[in-house]
Amino acid sequence: MDFDLSEEHRMIRDMARDFAREVIAPRSEQMEKTGEYPYDIMDRMADLGMMGIPYPEEYGGSGGDWVGMHLCIEEIARGDMTLAASLEVTSCIAGQELFVFGTEEQKKKWLVPIVKGTKMGAFGLTEPDAGSDAAAIRTTAVRQAGGWVLNGTKQFSTNIGFRNASVLLTAAVTGKRESGKNVISAFIVPRDTPGFRLGTRYDKIAWTASATHEVILEDCRIPEDFLLGDPSRGFSQHLAVLETGRISIAAMAVGAAQACLDASLRYARERIQFGRPIFGFEAVQFKLADMAAAIELARNQYLKAAWLKDRGRKHTFETSVAKIFAAEMLEKAASDAVQIHGGYGYMNEYPVSRIYKGAKLLQIVEGTSEVQRMVIGRHLANMA
Ligand SMILES: Cc1cc2nc3c(=O)[nH]c(=O)nc-3n(C[C@H](O)[C@H](O)[C@H](O)COP(=O)(O)OP(=O)(O)OC[C@H]3O[C@@H](n4cnc5c(N)ncnc54)[C@H](O)[C@@H]3O)c2cc1C
């Protein structure tokens, strides 16, 4: 076994770490307060090649791998979770679905700008009546005169509200199987298609700078060749890339928890009560020790899942373990970090307050913690 990062991995991690510390973290409070989208930061991330880490150079990427991508996501989340989420949705989810299932022409047209970061991709699976039960979607796509006509509503779509969002990769029902189950296909739906309407910008309790919108498709007509991949396997295509998204969520949780540990350590050494730094009190030190231990475990687990993915090996179990453990670990770490900061921890100017407010989301997106436990349960049933 080899736990050392390669030279390339270390370079990616250090580049993202420096960028997050110098550029992202100082803006995080303002972004959360105003809800303004940080286009200038996203442009700089694109210039640094962050959106293209795991993609071949011929598509504008840097020919790296998924370990490198997730080291980058962890570090960006250490500065601000919303930017890490924008990165993972465009790159790990939308970009990957285009890369793995797209035709050469589709890749040139839609993937390359996503990989270069000039355009942002979005992913449309969830609907008002189809969340964890994603196969229950009602959006339809009907073949008509050399194209497809889509009708339906997609909910909670991350990134689609950005002005440079290009496409929503949309799952839609295209028929019925003999078993009575729906056939679901995946489509590349450009945001500027007539009949594509951006609905509500959601008023979230945190993550205000993340562009989450409802999308309404009303007689939205796209050409035949905007169908993505195998028409009978659109649902599995969507689920396949979501699996990578779960590694990303785990990496984000680790980055945010590390930010909690960094801030809490600093604070505990500086804050004097009863004549000495509160770091000297065992009750405070144990919280920090638990945080450090949990971060270490969560980091090892998401890296293992990414490492397996890089080797083309099955990683469903390892990914769900990473996602549950890291997301739940973050909620506890953020709560303990606020506790260590006392009253100051409840003030918006302290990053731990922002992470505390935002932490819960990671147990919900890309499959809730309950769904991850169901995935692990299925794995155990197959082992028996
Ligand atoms: C900010 C944000 C961004 C998002 N971005 C995207 C995006 O870009 N694209 C996209 O497609 N979706 C996105 N989502 C949707 C997200 O993936 C869903 O919210 C999530 O999958 C849960 O679905 P739901 O909200 O409908 O909850 P539900 O599925 O209704 O679940 C409600 C509760 O019931 C539990 N539950 C449901 N079924 C079971 C079961 N069988 N056993 C046990 N418990 C169960 C759930 O775990 C949960 O606790 C986003 C959501 C948010 C909040």
Side-chain angles (χ1 to χ4, degrees):
M1 290 187 74
D2 184 358
F3 284 96
D4 282 328
L5 295 181
S6 68
E7 185 55 32
E8 186 195 338
H9 289 148
R10 261 202 304 276
M11 276 168 58
I12 292 173
R13 184 198 60 190
D14 294 349
M15 176 263 296
R17 182 176 291 175
D18 292 347
F19 185 78
R21 189 181 51 232
E22 288 159 22
V23 178
I24 299 179
R27 286 273 294 282
S28 182
E29 183 193 352
Q30 183 213 354
M31 277 161 48
E32 183 71 19
K33 199 174 277 173
T34 61
E36 279 168 21
Y37 300 145
Y39 290 113
D40 59 325
I41 299 183
M42 283 156 42
D43 285 349
R44 289 181 66 180
M45 287 166 65
D47 289 344
L48 289 168
M50 291 185 190
M51 281 76 166
I53 291 171
Y55 298 106
E57 287 172 19
E58 61 179 303
Y59 299 115
S62 53
D65 60 15
W66 292 102
V67 166
M69 181 77 227
H70 286 97
L71 288 167
C72 178
I73 288 174
E74 177 192 332
E75 294 301 333
I76 296 301
R78 200 164 163 184
D80 186 277
M81 280 195 283
T82 63
L83 274 158
S86 304
L87 174 60
E88 75 102 356
V89 170
T90 193
S91 194
C92 302
I93 298 195
Q96 190 185 180
E97 193 162 352
L98 287 163
F99 177 65
V100 176
F101 303 105
T103 61
E104 204 47 41
E105 201 177 318
Q106 288 171 339
K107 285 184 212 179
K108 290 213 171 87
K109 185 166 177 151
W110 306 110
L111 173 66
V112 170
I114 285 176
V115 165
K116 291 185 173 167
T118 52
K119 296 285 181 192
M120 298 295 279
F123 180 76
L125 181 60
T126 307
E127 296 185 1
D129 296 313
S132 302
D133 183 11
I137 58 166
R138 291 188 187 164
T139 295
T140 54
V142 177
R143 226 186 200 121
Q144 262 182 30
W148 295 90
V149 177
L150 280 82
N151 279 287
T153 300
K154 291 291 170 184
Q155 187 162 266
F156 303 143
S157 286
T158 301
N159 283 359
I160 197 67
F162 289 134
R163 65 177 178 226
N164 60 340
S166 54
V167 289
L168 182 72
L169 300 189
T170 305
V173 175
T174 47
K176 271 225 181 299
R177 297 182 197 281
E178 273 177 16
S179 63
K181 282 190 177 168
N182 284 332
V183 177
I184 294 176
S185 314
F187 296 91
I188 303 167
V189 186
R191 204 180 83 149
D192 56 7
T193 312
F196 186 114
R197 186 156 58 83
L198 219 52
T200 326
R201 172 176 172 173
Y202 292 100
D203 180 15
K204 303 189 288 291
I205 58 176
W207 294 65
T208 60
S210 180
T212 330
H213 280 254
E214 183 184 45
V215 171
I216 298 115
L217 303 169
E218 274 168 346
D219 291 332
C220 181
R221 178 183 292 275
I222 52 172
E224 179 80 35
D225 58 359
F226 284 17
L227 172 78
L228 179 61
D230 181 339
S232 66
R233 296 189 53 79
F235 189 58
S236 6
Q237 289 173 199
H238 259 44
L239 292 192
V241 293
L242 264 188
E243 192 163 273
T244 311
R246 290 169 183 171
I247 306 176
S248 311
I249 297 295
M252 284 165 60
V254 170
Q258 184 67 53
C260 287
L261 179 60
D262 299 340
S264 302
L265 256 179
R266 234 180 358 255
Y267 188 82
R269 287 193 180 117
E270 285 166 7
R271 176 70 175 169
I272 309 287
Q273 288 293 280
F274 299 97
R276 56 181 169 139
I278 60 170
F279 184 77
F281 300 119
E282 198 175 66
V284 172
Q285 229 176 75
F286 278 12
K287 282 190 180 59
L288 292 163
D290 285 348
M291 230 184 267
I295 290 168
E296 180 73 8
L297 290 172
R299 181 177 289 123
N300 286 341
Q301 187 61 22
Y302 93 66
L303 285 172
K304 180 176 180 185
W307 180 87
L308 287 168
K309 179 171 172 59
D310 279 329
R311 275 149 192 78
R313 286 166 52 184
K314 203 160 165 43
H315 53 284
T316 306
F317 168 75
E318 290 79 4
T319 297
S320 286
V321 169
K323 207 254 176 195
I324 296 180
F325 184 79
E328 295 185 356
M329 173 281 290
L330 174 61
E331 190 179 21
K332 168 93 167 64
S335 171
D336 284 351
V338 170
Q339 195 69 20
I340 289 169
H341 282 71
Y344 294 105
Y346 212 65
M347 301 299 127
N348 284 323
E349 71 188 271
Y350 282 78
V352 293
S353 69
R354 199 159 46 254
I355 298 173
Y356 178 68
K357 271 199 295 181
K360 186 69 193 170
L361 185 62
L362 299 190
Q363 294 170 36
I364 296 169
V365 289
E366 321 283 3
T368 63
S369 287
E370 290 76 13
V371 166
Q372 305 311 317
R373 288 188 167 86
M374 284 158 58
V375 171
I376 293 172
R378 272 200 298 273
H379 175 84
L380 296 178
N382 290 336
M383 278 172 66

